[in-house]
Amino acid sequence: MKAVSGIISQAVRDNRKSLLETEAKTVCKDYGIPITRFELAKNEAEAVGFAEAIGYPVVLKIVSPDIIHKSDVGGVVVDLKDAKAVRGAYKQILGDVKKHDAKAKIIGVLVQEMAPASTEVIVGSIKDPQFGPAIMFGLGGVFVEVLKDVTFRIAPVTEEEAREMIEEVKAYPLLKGYRGSPPADINAIVKIILATSKLVMEHQEIKELDLNPIMVYEKGAKTVDARIILE
Ligand code: ADP
Ligand code: MG
C-alpha cells in the first residue's frame, strides 16, 4: 500500500485535485484491481517501443493534469495495429489536445494494452458528508447514463452486499448471460467492489473514484479507465 500514500501526497504537493490515469491505475493495481498494462511515453519513438513490448493492438491516451475527460478533446485513440498507426496517433493526440487547450501541461502519452470489447461495468465511489464513502455499481454506457440503473452501499461493503449490488441492477440478466451469450465473471466484479471499498476506507483523502469502464469477461475483468479525485 506504500505506493498509494506516496502518489496521493505527491498530488497534494503539486496542488492537484485529481490523479493522472497512470497514478490512479497504479493505486488500483496496489489494491489488486485488474488494469490494462501501460507505459508512459515521452516521445514518438518511445511510444512505438512500448507498443511493441506490450503487443498490438494498443491504445494511446493523453496524460495531462489539465485534462479530465480525455476523449472529449481527442485525447484517446484505440485499436492501433502497427508502428505507423502509433506514430500517427501520437501526433494526432498532441495536435488535437493543443488545439483544445494550448496551455495544457502534457506529461506524456500513455501506451496501453487494448482490452477486447465485452460487457462494460462501472464501479465508483463518492463520499457522503454524513455516511462517508459509498460504493456504486452499474453496467456501463446507456445503463448508467440514460437509465441511471445503478446501486449504492455505504462502505465498507461486505462480500454479501457486493453480490446483492450486482444482482439488484435491472441489467443483471445481461451479466448472467442471455440468448447464448456467455455469462460474465461475477466473482471478478465482486473482488473489484471489495477492493474499491477497502481502498476508499483506507484512504479517506479520496473524494471520488470512477472505474469506467471495466470490461468483464467470461474469466476475469480489466479496468480500462480509472479516475480518482481527492478532497
Ligand atoms: P475518458 O473517459 O477520459 O474520455 P477513457 O480512458 O475512458 O477516456 O477512454 C475512452 C473510451 O475508449 C473508453 O470508454 C473505452 O471504450 C475506450 N478505451 C480506452 N482505453 C481502452 C483500452 N485500454 N482498451 C480498450 N478500450 C479502451
Ligand atoms: Mg472513461
Side-chain angles (χ1 to χ4, degrees):
M1 314 292 123
K2 256 196 328 251
V4 180
S5 304
I7 285 168
I8 292 176
S9 42
Q10 182 62 52
V12 171
R13 275 199 299 279
D14 294 349
N15 228 339
R16 283 186 285 130
K17 287 283 178 220
S18 63
L19 300 187
L20 302 167
E21 182 176 340
T22 44
E23 296 171 327
K25 280 189 168 164
T26 303
V27 167
C28 287
K29 195 172 168 205
D30 248 30
Y31 274 81
I33 297 168
I35 52 158
T36 44
R37 191 177 159 198
F38 67 82
E39 300 284 352
L40 182 67
K42 298 283 190 183
N43 58 54
E44 236 177 89
E46 234 177 53
V48 171
F50 289 141
E52 313 256 297
I54 289 168
Y56 296 105
V58 295
V59 176
L60 258 57
K61 298 191 204 183
I62 192 70
V63 180
S64 163
D66 302 315
I67 295 163
I68 303 278
H69 297 283
K70 301 173 292 283
S71 41
D72 291 356
V73 298
V76 179
V77 184
V78 302
D79 206 18
L80 302 166
K81 294 191 171 79
D82 54 35
K84 188 166 167 259
V86 168
R87 284 199 199 91
Y90 193 98
K91 288 194 190 81
Q92 186 191 321
I93 286 175
L94 291 187
D96 285 356
V97 167
K98 278 261 132 58
K99 237 181 274 166
H100 176 265
D101 179 359
K103 288 197 299 265
K105 183 178 178 197
I106 310 295
I107 306 288
V109 172
L110 205 54
V111 182
Q112 62 182 244
E113 161 194 3
M114 168 108 186
S118 190
T119 309
E120 296 184 6
V121 303
I122 298 175
V123 172
S125 174
I126 50 166
K127 229 169 175 182
D128 181 273
Q130 219 170 343
F131 299 107
I135 305 296
M136 193 230 21
F137 170 78
L139 269 76
V142 291
F143 294 100
V144 58
E145 282 155 27
V146 183
L147 303 172
K148 314 283 179 214
D149 181 20
V150 294
T151 179
F152 288 89
R153 288 289 185 287
I154 302 296
V157 172
T158 64
E159 182 173 339
E160 204 187 325
E161 286 174 317
R163 286 186 196 282
E164 279 169 17
M165 290 175 79
I166 297 164
E167 286 168 14
E168 76 191 20
V169 294
K170 292 191 193 73
Y172 176 59
L174 297 183
L175 292 174
K176 271 197 1 188
Y178 65 106
R179 292 199 184 163
S181 81
D185 189 342
I186 305 282
N187 288 330
I189 308 174
V190 168
K191 277 194 193 145
I192 293 174
I193 292 174
L194 293 176
T196 302
S197 168
K198 188 167 193 282
L199 165 62
V200 295
M201 287 305 290
E202 289 179 357
H203 292 279
Q204 296 283 331
E205 318 92 295
I206 297 175
K207 187 179 167 202
E208 274 172 48
L209 174 152
D210 199 19
L211 309 179
N212 179 14
I214 303 167
M215 304 283 187
V216 191
Y217 303 104
E218 259 187 279
K219 265 215 165 97
K222 220 152 233 192
T223 302
V224 152
D225 185 24
R227 234 187 299 280
I228 292 178
I229 313 285
L230 304 175
E231 287 285 8

